[in-house]
Amino acid sequence: MSRPRIVIVGAGFAGYRTARTLSRLTRHQADITLLNPTDYFLYLPLLPQVAAGILEPRRVSVSLSGTLPHVRLVLGEADGIDLDGHTVHYSGPEGEEGTLPFDRLVLAAGSVNKLLPVPGVAEHAHGFRGLPEALYLRDHVTRQVELAAAAKDRAECAARCTFVVVGAGYTGTEVAAHGAMYTDAQVRRHPMRTGMRPRWMLLDVAPRVLPEMDERLSRTAGRVLRQRGVDVRMGTSVKEATHDGVLLTDGSTVDTRTLVWCVGVRPDPLVESLGLPLERGRLLVDSHLRVPGRPEVFACGDVAAVPDLNQPGQYTPMTAQHAWRHGKVCAQNVAASLGVGRRRAYRHRDMGFVVDLGGAKAAANPLGLPMSGPAAGAVTRGYHLAAMPGNRVRVAADWLLDAVLPRQAVQLGLVRSWSVPLESASPEVARVPGRPERARRAGTGTGERDAVDPGAERAGEERSEEQPPGGHSRDRPSGEPAKNQPGGEPARNQPGGEPAKNQPHAEPREEQPHGSRSGSARASGTPRRAAETAGPPARGTRKPRKTSGTSGATRSANPAAPSGPTRSADGPADPGPEPPADQPPPGPDIAPGPVKRTDGRAAEGDS
């Protein structure tokens, strides 16, 4: 008799805990496959410390193969689930495709950035959900402070050293707290000519910081932020974002080059393609984390609406604590469905929260006991060390070094702005030039290809300095485009983002309906790979995906609009890793410029 096949989609808190517990419970009596875009589990609560230069990226990245020795790891993104055929279709990191059969399926795909229909946010803001975004923010903040220090104009200096964080929840509060400490340390070592200092702003429509947590934690966090000079504005958010600043809902305008979007998350849209009952985008499951009517399918973490047995009629919130506990219960129930042990319902006890505010400051309420100051800082770091499934000694060593040595404020230049768009299908994976994007068609099995949207066109507008080549650069005098650069003119007045003529690698396309990609790229049926494109992808080109029945639906990918190379005779403006020989080099890495949409839609909101 063959061993049962268990496929787990996603290796976040829920997926990782499910795989680890199942491996122990089944004792090699089942084939466990873990499908994930990366080969590591990311400990998200410490990501702000990566952006602030306290921890190195690998400290918060726990190897999957190293800690799950009896679990088969498959690198890729699930882009099609056939529930009736018991198969998961996926696409690998290099464009290869494959299929995973299953007897039991665990959906733990996690969440993506929550978008709101605010003009300009999709083009000019960046999220904070993965390592690429944290590395980009660290480089970007360092660069802005250095440019501000060299600026002679006070207005430009003020704009460059103003950093706006939207969302005063757990992530936004920690980003603002750590960011203020990081930039203050830079300025102390290298004062600005104009005598100005960095300014951090934290915005939220809620009446207080950390609105979802205990009010005593909120007061502690708000007090620490204000002591560090953070401009905390409650009841205020962004009304419009532009290249040079943001317009706030109170009517004021803030000149800035940095907009960090931390308003929350939404479930990965993969679950929407299944045609199963949803609760605000989350897959409805019973108290045993099983999908009703599909006894072979389980869901946990952010994609699952799990009934809260302690509060009838409510569902457990989308937090790391719940996802971690979901994983353990889900593994026990999957094993029980295979005849190993007994199943159990998910119940939880609130153990409290901890919020790291940088240095020796924190806010915590372990077991309901409110704490602040150094004591809370010790409890917070002790909790993180205990909760991490690996790298504890390395994390503790980095904390010790940070306490006795100054931080290294340098730009590595490894992640560009266009590599981490806010509307990313996979925040954990940075986009790279020449990476194949996929278009999918669901359910028909005919092999028909969805149309490919070449991306948002920059018709007649100033090109971003961090966008792919072919536009203006703020590094050049008066913002003029570089001379003697082939393909340096953006395409103008071309419907559907059609590439400009006479540019290398730009093939005219027939008129086609636009495809889309929402959250992680998922689809069903017999997908076909879209044509590979030569340039890095543009932002803000998603449209709603199509659905097809209960066994799957589509999510199309948007390849970038091709553009010609823009190397000048003097070489690249910002040296970095060389792209493939047949790809154009990335452009200089400053703040994003205006991007004009061609699909006629605003940024997609909460599903």
Side-chain angles (χ1 to χ4, degrees), residues 539-566:
R539 291 195 234 153
T541 57
R542 296 188 309 165
K543 300 191 76 168
R545 79 170 135 218
K546 306 171 187 178
T547 56
S548 102
T550 60
S551 63
T554 72
R555 197 184 311 186
S556 300
N558 291 328
S563 65
T566 59

Side-chain angles (χ1 to χ4, degrees), residues 11 34-42 64 73-76 428-429:
L34 181 60
L35 178 64
N36 198 57
T38 64
D39 64 349
Y40 60 82
F41 158 74
L42 177 63
L64 296 178
L73 172 64
V74 175
L75 292 178
E428 65 273 22
V429 179

Side-chain angles (χ1 to χ4, degrees), residues 165-176 201-213 218 221-222 225 232-237 260-264 355:
V165 181
V166 185
Y170 185 96
T171 301
T173 299
E174 289 196 339
V175 168
M201 297 182 64
L202 181 62
L203 313 177
D204 202 305
V205 295
R208 59 185 174 92
V209 175
L210 301 174
E212 70 278 8
M213 297 185 185
S218 174
L225 289 172
V232 181
R233 298 192 186 184
M234 296 293 98
T236 306
S237 189
V260 187
W261 192 255
C262 301
V263 297
V355 182

Side-chain angles (χ1 to χ4, degrees), residues 449-504:
R449 179 182 301 172
D450 265 353
V452 177
D453 184 354
E457 197 57 61
R458 298 154 178 78
E461 299 186 38
E462 179 185 2
R463 295 291 298 266
S464 161
E465 298 140 67
E466 289 190 291
Q467 295 297 324
H472 301 293
S473 168
R474 285 190 174 270
D475 284 340
R476 307 185 190 281
S478 304
E480 294 180 359
K483 299 179 180 180
N484 303 324
Q485 295 192 7
E489 286 294 322
R492 301 178 184 271
N493 304 323
Q494 298 189 14
E498 183 177 337
K501 299 179 181 180
N502 302 323
Q503 292 195 10

Side-chain angles (χ1 to χ4, degrees), residues 16 39 62-71 73:
Y16 180 86
D39 64 349
V62 179
S63 169
L64 296 178
S65 57
T67 56
L68 302 173
H70 304 297
V71 175
L73 172 64

